[in-house]
Amino acid sequence: MPVNQIAGKSSLHEGLEKLYGFKIESVLPEHMGYRNRSYPFTTEAGEHLNFIVYKDEPDILNRVRNANKVSGLLSAGLPARTPYDGRLIEVAACGRRLVGCLYLYLPGEVIPWEAYTAKHLKLLGQAMAKVHNALSETDGAFLPDVEDEYLAITGRMRTYFSQPGVKQAMKEKLGLNIRHEVFDYCASVINLCRRLPDRQALHMDLVRGNILFDEGSGGLFISGILDFEKASYGFRYFDLGRTLAFLLTDSFYKSDQEVFKNFLLRGYVRAGGGEYKSIKVGKTDLLAAIIDLFCVYDFYKFLKHAPYESLPDNHHFVRTRERLLKRGLVTPG
């Protein structure tokens, strides 16, 4: 459990000053992320720090501990976000006990997917290869198994899409249908990956919001790798597939060929020294099958968390839908 406790937002910075013994000079704007809220600030000593409070999610304490361990393993050679010290903080807010941690601040900015150039794609692929290479000898027994996690997710998707109300709403509001064979396909891909070599610690969330870019005398470079809370242990291509599913859907001005060329071949393989070879599952390429899995998962999250009526106006959903239609994973209803 966290070893220290501070109060919530109203006295958050006072609590940090008392706990860490520094004086805060200036408070910067808060930032709300998918699973956390960031409170950046500078100290009188000139330190630029970022206190992050995580949402109340199942097993979040272990996830944060694992994240900090993985980022610590990477910090010697990569700009991974690392804790200020080893402490986790219990934050009392609105009747809840949330987990917080103080991190060293990393400079740079998040780039929208649609603004990614060939250089951004190459650097992202190179960064993933460096992460994989650095973690390849790490004993990942402390991390959750990525195949176990996605088999559980596949089960939840199967249950959700089995509901008569969901089927009817998909047909009437979206004109779509998804067959149960899709979830058998996803499960078979996951189970195959479990039997393959090249299993190691993975980031599993190397996406737009978790990569910072900056410019220096040598040009564009990645200045920060963030949010290791989804770190897992498993087959390397899961990491590639998770990032590629986003890139192929949301890099609006890049063709699939350009994305694969710059991220996977020029970045991951050539610049980063990552190993990749095509593995066939019947007539399907395994990496393509893993990308299918993540696109189905993203489709599920759109339907579960947004009103169906609003989805045709969401270009991220539309591009995910078109990709799944093209792959035959959803069909006109």
Side-chain angles (χ1 to χ4, degrees):
M1 290 294 294
V3 295
N4 299 98
Q5 180 177 332
I6 58 177
K9 182 177 178 180
S10 60
S11 56
L12 178 67
H13 293 102
E14 292 177 9
L16 290 172
E17 287 181 324
K18 182 177 180 180
L19 183 61
Y20 286 95
F22 50 55
K23 185 70 176 175
I24 294 177
E25 181 176 85
S26 60
V27 175
L28 303 173
E30 300 171 18
H31 173 71
M32 184 68 179
Y34 177 74
R35 59 167 20 97
N36 58 50
R37 186 181 291 271
S38 299
Y39 299 89
F41 59 89
T42 58
T43 69
E44 283 189 341
E47 294 176 300
H48 200 164
L49 305 176
N50 189 11
F51 187 68
I52 295 179
V53 179
Y54 294 91
K55 292 181 180 178
D56 186 13
E57 295 183 307
D59 204 33
I60 188 63
L61 181 58
N62 280 331
R63 285 191 175 274
V64 175
R65 283 176 170 159
N66 290 343
N68 291 347
K69 185 172 181 178
V70 172
S71 64
L73 291 168
L74 293 173
S75 62
L78 290 165
R81 183 168 66 193
T82 52
Y84 183 75
D85 61 18
R87 286 178 281 186
L88 297 182
I89 313 300
E90 187 178 80
V91 181
C94 302
R96 296 177 297 165
R97 302 291 184 184
L98 304 177
V99 177
C101 189
L102 184 63
Y103 292 93
L104 300 172
Y105 182 86
L106 291 171
E109 61 179 336
V110 170
I111 305 296
W113 284 135
E114 58 268 26
Y116 266 48
T117 65
K119 180 68 171 179
H120 290 100
L121 292 170
K122 177 183 175 181
L123 287 172
L124 182 60
Q126 181 182 29
M128 180 173 284
K130 288 183 176 181
V131 167
H132 287 174
N133 291 337
L135 296 177
S136 62
E137 301 302 322
T138 298
D139 181 359
F142 66 96
L143 293 170
D145 186 291
V146 71
E147 289 89 1
D148 285 347
E149 293 204 324
Y150 280 92
L151 277 177
I153 287 169
T154 299
R156 293 198 293 272
M157 292 194 295
R158 189 191 298 270
T159 299
Y160 176 80
F161 286 109
S162 296
Q163 299 175 71
V166 170
K167 292 180 179 180
Q168 183 177 355
M170 283 182 63
K171 180 177 181 179
E172 294 179 354
K173 298 180 180 182
L174 299 174
L176 297 173
N177 176 60
I178 187 166
R179 304 187 314 275
H180 267 289
E181 291 86 351
V182 168
F183 308 109
D184 295 334
Y185 167 60
C186 291
S188 68
V189 170
I190 296 166
N191 285 320
L192 171 62
C193 291
R194 191 192 300 277
R195 301 192 297 270
L196 295 174
D198 294 331
R199 295 173 57 77
Q200 64 162 95
L202 308 170
H203 187 287
M204 286 309 299
D205 205 19
L206 207 63
V207 298
R208 182 187 68 84
N210 296 334
I211 297 293
L212 300 177
F213 289 93
D214 210 342
E215 292 271 359
S217 57
L220 186 71
F221 67 98
I222 288 179
S223 58
I225 302 174
L226 315 178
D227 291 2
F228 290 81
E229 290 78 43
K230 290 185 180 179
S232 305
Y233 185 83
F235 182 56
R236 280 189 300 111
Y237 289 19
F238 270 97
D239 239 354
L240 291 169
R242 174 62 285 181
T243 299
L244 279 166
F246 280 119
L247 286 173
L248 294 169
T249 302
D250 294 337
S251 295
F252 302 145
Y253 306 114
K254 296 284 185 294
S255 67
D256 289 5
Q257 292 76 14
E258 289 176 293
V259 170
F260 277 107
K261 175 184 175 181
N262 290 295
F263 170 78
L264 185 58
L265 300 180
R266 294 183 64 221
Y268 186 81
V269 176
R270 296 175 191 166
E275 293 186 12
Y276 170 76
K277 63 179 180 180
S278 177
I279 301 172
K280 292 296 182 181
V281 182
K283 296 181 179 180
T284 302
D285 178 79
L286 180 57
L287 181 56
I290 294 172
I291 293 169
D292 286 343
L293 163 67
F294 285 114
C295 287
V296 171
Y297 180 40
D298 293 339
F299 180 77
Y300 159 75
K301 289 187 291 183
F302 278 120
L303 269 62
K304 190 171 175 62
H305 299 298
Y308 283 19
E309 295 84 356
S310 69
L311 291 175
D313 296 323
N314 183 321
H315 56 265
H316 300 282
F317 167 77
V318 170
R319 289 175 63 86
T320 301
R321 177 195 67 194
E322 294 308 307
R323 180 165 294 276
L324 292 175
L325 283 168
K326 184 177 180 181
R327 294 285 293 172
L329 297 168
V330 300
T331 57

